[in-house]
Each structure stands twice: as structure tokens, then as C-alpha cells.
Amino acid sequence: MNLRSLIKPQDDKIYILPTGHGFVFLIGIVVMILTAATYGNNLIYILAFSLFSVVMVGMVQTHNNLRGVKLKVIHIEESFADNWSHIEVRLEHQLKAVRQSLVVSLNSNEFVNSKPSLLEVLPLQSSAKLDVPVRLLRRGHYDLPRFIIETRFPMGLFRAWKYISVQQKIYIYPSLKGHSALPLRAGFNEEGENQPLSLSPSQDMDFKEHKLHREGESQRHMDWKLAAKRGEFYTKTFEGERNQAYSFDFTQVRFSSDEDKLSQLAQWIHQVFKIDSGFEMILPGKKIELGSGIQHYRASLRELAKYPVKGAS
Amino acid sequence: MKELNKFVYFLVGLNLIPHLFDMPVWVTGASFTFLAWRVATDFTRVPSPGKWGTIVIAVVFTLLIVNHYGTFIGDEASTATLLIMVSLKTFEMRGYRDLMVLTYLCYFLLMTKLIVSQSIGMTVFMVMDILLITAFMMMYHSPVLKQDWRKLLRKAGSLTLQGAPLILILFFVFPRFTASLWSKNNAATRLSGFSGQLNPGEVSSLVLSEEPAFRVYFSDFSVMPAKMYWRGTVLTQSFGLQWRPSPVTQRPDYFRGTTPLHELIRYEIFLEPHGKKWLFALDWPVSLQSSDNKTERRYVSLAGKTYESRRSLAQREYYVGYSETESNLQTWLPLSENEKSRYLNVEGEDSPQALALAKDIESQHEGATGRVEALLQYFVENKFVYSLNAPQMSTLDEFLFEHRRGFCEHYAASFATLLRWAGVPSRVVVGYQGGTASFLSDYVLVRQLDAHAWVEYWYEPQNTWKRVDPTGVVAPERIQLGAQDFNERFLRASTGSGPTDMALNRWFSDDLKQSLFRMRMVFDQAEAAWMSLLLRYDFTYQQALFSDLGFDNVKRWQLFTFSGVGLVGLLIFVSLRLSRAKPSRPIAQRLYSQLCLVLAKEGLPRRANEGPLSYKSRALEAFPHLRQPLEAVFTEILTDRYGPPQAAELRPPRVKKRISELRSHLKASKLTPS
């Protein structure tokens, strides 16, 4: 066993240190003992020793409050980058004691965990569910970092904590960015037979309104006449874009950076999912077949999440 | 966090209360006002002073405190500062941090009070306070306990109790330091009243001081504390109300007694350092011996059977005294005419009425005893009042015929002067009277408030000095109860100019008074025992305790190491105990395996892969006649283990009973031939 493995924090071991308040409290006790010595006052000695014993018993209780507490991840609600994902964990212990005020967070700089989750009480020999919200700024397929269970119960003078490693991974989808307007639907008929993509709106779609054209949008629906009139570019949108199937092609998205393209795709997928339509997605070297529903939605977003970063092998 | 504020206000308020008794009214008044103001800002629309307002108030009060005490760092000044600052701090309570800080500042409010008072009452208050502060700190950290104050108090109580062994160990083992290590308690402030003169007004400042003067350990405890007169200095020069010692170094005016030492009362005195030379001894002292057998070199015996150290006492002095309770008739040297006239001399006193009174007594009564009796009678009949709040006065006439209020010094001084005028040689003795006896051991604590003055007169026929204590006539309880009880009982309530301080007494019937008195005495005893433990327990005592345990001459660093090692040992012990505790299986699971065991014994073991439900149906098939008890047991266990959480709760004793019933049923069915 080398030194490094001694220093390296280990799972399921309980670590404990005084908090700032604990230090102040201890300094206060020293001041009291000095006062007692100055005045030869035994009652102040008793006061100081009482406080000291409260600190010591409190320390043992803080430590004890974590003993036997186990954590398991039971569900991960994936989300987009920069949004809150929710990791549902279950805390449990088999000891005949009540556990109080347990705080669960993640031991990582990457995982923003601004809202530590507090479990107020864990009754004896039982378990309780707790939601741990996390947020990541970048998409990806991450290993979950170690969880930290910590407590300052009962007096706030000590902080005890333990690390718990889990094997799960979490997908973080690309952040939702880009245009809300969906690209032209792909030319699928009801039977799902593949047909060439049409360049203009089909007959069964009615014109709805004009929208200001934004970079990256397809130019197919551009209303050139209006552009000549007003000096700005407008895109025509159509009624009846529901219950249709769409095709999203990575190469067709007109953003320069890959990340922006992925975000746009995620945006479209999210929108299509909301209106309950089907879609297919074409990534370089990979095609997601047409489908719909939550599984399809999630699988597609996961593909986006783990799409290799350009430059990286 | 905001809903917790009110608890902090409560704590601060609670810890301000004891200070009401000894801090100036303007300090406590201001503190309570700030607190009330703060509470008002929370619950009404009263504006708070804001950051700058608070700073201005703090500065103003700091100046007031410096102005009042002349310093910023003295005991009382710093207590006053603490009171003001803590109550002002309540204005800036913004979050968790301020909450915690204010909560443990309350401990310091408590501590500053303990400097002044260590009574049983204060001890009880301290325990309650520790419990409350602990409870509140737990409440800040547990949303569950916040909702259930009974549970909270129970938790806090158990936390505090669990520390009791540690408190005990630390109390007895943690090394004590003598006060002289530090600059506090120095001799100048301590015995300022005991200047070796008699100026009415000086003892009163001493009476209020609970500082120990000395401690006495008796080898054979046969004297009632009330009868203990501790001789300090003899004053021979009368100036009316003022008395001074003789300016010339006096030669001893007595023989050493002939009684062998082992027949005398032997006692050991631990004299607190007072920076002067006096040594105190029980009346009447025969011999005083220093602890290092260098008595001749270190002590000197003076006229009037008093003793002095040759050097000023800057450290605690330990010596052994031998005394007898009655003045030995043979020990005094007879007074020469020259001496007699010195003991009759009164200088510079102009009190014609008093002089006339003395001459009157002289003419009407023969002999010293008669005149002393007559004079005592005079004090009894003329409604003199014992009071600590005697007005300023300079002549005997003012005291005897105008105010008639005073404490022991007034009575001793005036009585002795009147005796001289009446032709009886007299002198005043100053020292201490009484002391607090511990009923647990043969030990008496004499404090500054026990300071006393009494009179001795020359009784020619027996050639001896006799003691007379005029205070005993005016206020007998002062002598019987000792200074502290007496002050608490009779003087504290009457600071005004009521007709008599004793009038209180007549409110009660004799019986009631008796039982009240007895109750008081029991309490006093407990109090005395507690105080004697608190005051007595010092390094010398620690050494004695450890030498009883077989560790002679233990050093401070050894005690310190011992407490450190003890603490670490205790922690290791606790952590080992905890880590050995194995997680226990849920009770339902244990009951289930018990049930399986019972069934297995009857030839129906549970299969390794079998769930409880199929096992149950197999059991029902095998023992159809036991359907009902089997159903009941299985149902109860299974519901707890697999049912919804709100389902009927499991009662282990009932299940255990059912299992054992089942077992007897099974056994019975096996015995019956099928």
C-alpha cells in the first residue's frame, strides 16, 4: 500500500472535520479555560468542560449519523446541456437508528450541483428516495462522478462525509439552440415508402404565415417576392405540419460549427417529439431510421450526445 | 432561517437576566431595550437602526462604559461591553452564520456571570442554559426536531448526559493553576479594606466580596463555625470611631501557655496571598508554625496574641496553628499603670453626649464586668440597627444618638471607646468571624465577607483580656449564621431607611419561621458543600487526590498529559464500540427465519429458492389443522416486509407469542397418533 492510496479518499469510509463554526466553538472553549484559570473559577471550568464534552459527543454523533448509510442510483432523468437533469437516488441503512439531515451532492467540478439535496429524515432500517439535480454545460456521455453524502447534524460543529462510487453513466444531450422552425418534412407517404425529398410544400399543406428568415434555415421556403418588396428575407410556414414525418440531416444544417449543428438537431427532435411526429436522422456515417415515441426520441438524442467531437479521434 | 430568530432573542434575553443582579441598571436596561427593539422590528413596523445607527450606538455606549469604569478591559467593564455588543448584534441577523454566532455568544454571557456568582442557583441555571443552547443548535440543523420540541429536548438532554463522564474526568484531572500565575486577583484590590485600621465604611466593601480569605482544615473538628473568631490585628489607639494599631513595635504581652500542644485545637490554614504580613489564627492562639519548620525565621508573634509574617505574602501561605477556645488565665502579663493609662486613652474625640453616657455608666456600675453588661444593655435597649448602609459619620455622638445604624466596625469601635471613657481598659481586634463549613469534611472556608471586628476588655481580678462582641447583641444572627447568610436573609431586602431591618422577621409565626429556617439550613448546607468543592478544588487538592490514588507529587504536565491521553482513549473506546456494532437484520426478517426454523424442525424445511408465499401454501397443505395460526403469523410478517408502508404495524412480541404457540401446536400434533 503506497502513500497515494492512503491519501486517496476511499469509498464508504467516513471522513470528519470541524466546520468553521466548530473551530470558533473550540477557540471559545480555550478562552473559557483561560478565564477559568485566571480567576481560579471551577464553575467556569465545568462550563468549559461541558461545552467540550458537547463538542466531543456531537462529533461522535455526526460521524455516527452517516454510519451504514448506502446510496443507489435508481433512475436518471436525462436532459439537455445547461438544463437540470435529475438523478434519483435511494438512501438506505439497516441500523437501528434514525438518520437525519443528510445532504447528497456530486463530487465533480463539471457537474454543477447548485442545489444540494437534503434528506430530512431516514427512519430506522429503511430507505428513502431523493432527487439530486445536476446540470452540465456540455453535451456528452459521462460517467457519473462519486456521490458525497454529508451531514452536519446535530450541532453544525462538524461535517462528516463519505464518498460513494456508482457505475452508471449519464447522457447529456446537446443544448437546445437554433431555429424553432422545422425543416421541410421528408417525403414519406403513409406507408413509409421512401420517396425523394420534394422541394416545395406539398399540396395538402396550407400557407400559414411569414417568418423572418434566420441563418441556417433552408432557403427552399424563402418567399422571394416578399424579399424583393420589403428588402428582408422571409420564410413561408405552412399549416398541417403535424403528424408528419421529418428527416434531419446533419450535413444539411447550415451552421459552421458541429456543436451548433448538433444543437439545431436536438432542437428539432425536441420539437417534433412535442408535436408527436416521427422523424429520421442522418448523421455522418450513421442513420437513425424513421420512428417516433419516447424511445426513439431518447435514442436519437443519445446519438447526438455521444457524437464524436471534431478533432478528437 | 428567519423563523429561528425568535429562539435566539429568547436565548439572549434569558442570559441577560442573571446580569440584572449585579450590573449597573443602565447597562442591563440598555441591553434589554435593544433586544426589545429588535423583537419589535420583526413583529411590528418599528424601523431598525440600520448599520450606521448600530455603529453609532455601539460607539456611544463604549464611551459611556469607559467613562463609568475608567477602563475598557476590567472585569465589569468587559462584561458591560459584552452585554451591550451582544444585544446590538441581534440587529444584524441575516442568516445561518449570525444565528450560530449569537447562539454561542450566549455562552459568554453566561460565563461572565459565573465569574461573579457560583452559587447552586447559578449552577442550575448553567445546566439548563447548556441544555437549551444545545437544543437550539440542534434545531438549526434538523428540520425534524424543529417540529417536535419534546423530542428535541430529549435529544439535547441525552447528548449532554452522554458527555457527563468526560466532564467529570476533565474536572478532576485537568490541571489547575494558582491565581497568582496571572495578574488577576492581585493583593491590592483584594484586601483593600483590611488595612489594619478601623474606619467604619471599610469593612462594608469587604462584606460584599465572596473572595476567599483563607481555608482551614481541622484535625479534630469540635468548634462551631459561629464560635470561630479569627484573630488578625489588635488595635490599641482610639480616636472615637476610628481605631489604629500602636505605632511602636509591640513586645508580646503574654506567656506561652503551659498546655501541651496535643491538647490544643490543631488546624491547617491555607491563606490566600494578600500582599501584607498578617497571619490569621483561631482565637485564642497559642502557637503558629510555618510549614517548613522555619517559624522563628519567618513569623513573628506580636502583642495581643497576633502573628505576622516577616515578609509580605505574595503567594499562598500554608501554616499550622494551635489554639484554645478559652483564654488561658495564666498567659497574660499584668498591665502596668503606664499600659493601663494607654488602654484608657481616647484621642481627639469630641462627643460630649457619649462621654456623659460613659461617665454615667462608670458611676452607676462597679467593676469591668458590670460596666460591660450595662453598656451592652444600652445597645439592646436603644434600638440599634445592624446595616451595611450606614451613613457617613465622624463622631461617636452622631452614631450613638443620631443614626444608630451601622455594622460591626461601628459597634466595636464605639463600644471600646465608651469602655475606655467608663474606665475599663479596652482594645479592638480585627479579623474574621465564622466561615462556611462543609458538612462533608472538616473544612471551613473563610471569605472576605466574614471580616469582623470585636472588643476585648481588661478584667483586672483575673488578670486577663476578655472578649465581648457588641455586634452579637445588636444582631445575634450575624454571629450565629455567619456573614453571608445573615446578609442574604436580613439585609438585602432592606436597603432603605425602614425602622428596623429585623422587622421582616416578625411577619412569620415562630413555627413557620422554624421550618423555613430548617429548610434554609438544608439548602445552605448543600450550597456550602457545593461552594466548598468549587472553591477548594485547586492544584494542591488535585495533588492530594492523586497521592490518595497512589501517585505522589503529581506535576501539572502529568495531569495535562493524563487528561489528553484519557480523552483520546475515550474516543478510541467509543469508536471501537461503534464500529463493532453490526447492522442488525430487520425485525420482520428475523421473525421469519425463526418461523422457518420452527417449521423445519417439524419436517418442513424451506427450500433454498422458495419465496414466502409458496412456503406458506406448502405449510398449509402439510398442517391443514393449523390453518388459522399459520395464516396469522405469515400474514403479519409478510405484510410488514412486503406490504405498503401504512399497513398494520408489526408487533414483534405478538408474533413471537404466535410462533411459540405454533410450535407447541406442532409438537402436540406430532405426538397424537395419526
Side-chain angles (χ1 to χ4, degrees), chain A residues 147-188:
Chain A
F147 283 87
I148 303 175
I149 312 177
E150 65 171 271
T151 184
R152 285 161 201 238
F153 180 82
M155 308 264 298
L157 302 178
F158 287 89
R159 169 180 175 266
W161 71 98
K162 71 202 260 183
Y163 298 103
I164 293 195
S165 304
V166 289
Q167 299 305 318
Q168 274 98 336
K169 287 191 147 204
I170 182 172
Y171 285 98
I172 299 297
Y173 312 145
S175 59
L176 289 171
K177 274 196 301 195
H179 310 303
S180 53
L182 291 166
L184 261 186
R185 68 183 178 116
F188 297 108

Side-chain angles (χ1 to χ4, degrees), chain B residues 4 18 28 31 174 188 211 340 412 537 549 567 572-573 594-595:
Chain B
L4 292 171
T28 47
S31 309
F174 191 84
E211 290 287 319
K340 209 177 274 179
Y537 199 76
L549 295 173
L567 178 68
I572 290 176
F573 172 74
Q594 217 175 324
L595 176 65

Side-chain angles (χ1 to χ4, degrees), chain B residues 232-249:
Chain B
T233 299
V234 170
L235 309 176
T236 53
Q237 286 191 295
S238 168
F239 299 85
L241 265 182
Q242 268 186 51
W243 283 74
R244 288 181 202 161
S246 169
V248 236
T249 316

Side-chain angles (χ1 to χ4, degrees), chain B residues 339-367:
Chain B
E339 279 174 317
K340 209 177 274 179
S341 71
R342 251 200 4 243
Y343 281 121
L344 287 172
N345 184 33
V346 179
E347 277 176 50
E349 172 67 12
D350 181 27
S351 291
Q353 277 179 284
L355 186 62
L357 170 72
K359 289 298 166 201
D360 203 29
I361 286 172
E362 188 184 17
S363 63
Q364 283 179 24
H365 299 272
E366 273 301 311

Side-chain angles (χ1 to χ4, degrees), chain B residues 182-201:
Chain B
W182 314 82
S183 58
K184 281 289 173 203
N185 281 358
N186 57 23
T189 56
R190 190 171 232 222
L191 262 180
S192 56
F194 203 95
S195 63
Q197 297 191 15
L198 206 59
N199 270 320

Side-chain angles (χ1 to χ4, degrees), chain B residues 45-257:
Chain B
R45 301 174 69 185
V46 175
S48 119
K51 186 182 165 199
W52 288 105
T54 317
I55 291 174
V56 168
I57 295 174
V59 168
V60 167
F61 270 88
T62 309
L63 293 177
L64 279 177
I65 286 166
V66 172
N67 181 45
H68 186 264
Y69 293 102
T71 171
F72 187 63
I73 45 173
D75 292 359
E76 291 207 13
S78 47
T79 306
T81 314
L82 184 72
L83 257 62
I84 296 290
M85 292 308 162
V86 170
S87 51
L88 277 179
K89 169 79 187 156
T90 54
F91 282 113
E92 36 169 65
M93 283 230 300
R94 281 181 215 97
Y96 171 74
R97 200 179 65 102
D98 296 315
L99 201 73
M100 289 286 279
V101 167
L102 257 176
T103 307
Y104 46 69
L105 275 176
C106 286
Y107 279 128
F108 282 88
L109 285 183
L110 174 67
M111 185 194 77
T112 50
K113 174 69 195 182
L114 296 184
I115 294 175
V116 197
S117 166
Q118 298 144 61
S119 63
I120 281 198
M122 228 21 244
T123 311
V124 171
F125 182 86
M126 180 185 90
V127 171
M128 191 195 70
D129 210 26
I130 292 174
L131 190 71
L132 267 183
I133 296 179
T134 309
F136 283 176
M137 284 179 77
M138 286 174 97
M139 187 170 66
Y140 307 154
H141 297 94
S142 167
V144 181
L145 292 180
K146 197 159 45 179
Q147 289 149 14
D148 186 351
W149 61 269
R150 271 184 218 187
K151 209 175 193 177
L152 175 70
L153 282 183
R154 219 168 36 234
K155 275 262 177 193
S158 86
L159 193 149
T160 322
L161 263 186
Q162 281 171 37
L166 186 60
I167 301 174
L168 272 181
I169 292 174
L170 283 176
F171 179 78
F172 284 107
V173 177
F174 191 84
R176 301 302 201 276
F177 299 91
T178 42
S180 55
L181 255 181
W182 314 82
S183 58
K184 281 289 173 203
N185 281 358
N186 57 23
T189 56
R190 190 171 232 222
L191 262 180
S192 56
F194 203 95
S195 63
Q197 297 191 15
L198 206 59
N199 270 320
E202 278 189 45
V203 173
S204 93
S205 62
L206 270 181
V207 163
L208 297 174
S209 160
E210 294 191 3
E211 290 287 319
F214 51 89
R215 298 170 172 81
V216 195
Y217 299 82
F218 285 94
S219 305
D220 177 22
F221 197 32
S222 58
V223 194
M224 288 294 293
K227 291 199 176 152
M228 291 175 182
Y229 281 82
W230 302 98
R231 211 172 174 81
T233 299
V234 170
L235 309 176
T236 53
Q237 286 191 295
S238 168
F239 299 85
L241 265 182
Q242 268 186 51
W243 283 74
R244 288 181 202 161
S246 169
V248 236
T249 316
Q250 302 158 351
R251 68 182 172 82
D253 49 359
Y254 58 93
F255 304 116
R256 169 152 297 177

Side-chain angles (χ1 to χ4, degrees), chain A residues 48-119:
Chain A
F49 297 151
S50 306
L51 298 198
F52 187 68
S53 81
V54 164
V55 171
M56 287 294 117
V57 177
M59 178 176 83
V60 171
Q61 289 198 356
T62 307
H63 181 273
N64 219 10
N65 198 34
L66 279 188
R67 225 156 46 84
V69 177
K70 295 192 172 68
L71 179 143
K72 273 181 194 145
V73 174
I74 48 178
H75 177 69
I76 297 174
E77 192 191 312
E78 295 160 2
S79 185
F80 301 92
D82 215 18
N83 282 11
W84 289 102
S85 309
H86 295 271
I87 303 173
E88 204 176 334
V89 298
R90 191 172 68 220
L91 292 172
E92 60 178 15
H93 75 133
Q94 289 301 323
L95 292 174
K96 274 197 239 170
V98 179
R99 303 288 181 236
Q100 292 201 34
S101 305
L102 302 172
V103 174
V104 175
S105 57
L106 282 163
N107 180 29
S108 163
N109 292 329
E110 226 172 342
F111 283 69
V112 184
N113 185 204
S114 70
K115 297 184 259 180
S117 314
L118 170 71
L119 181 68

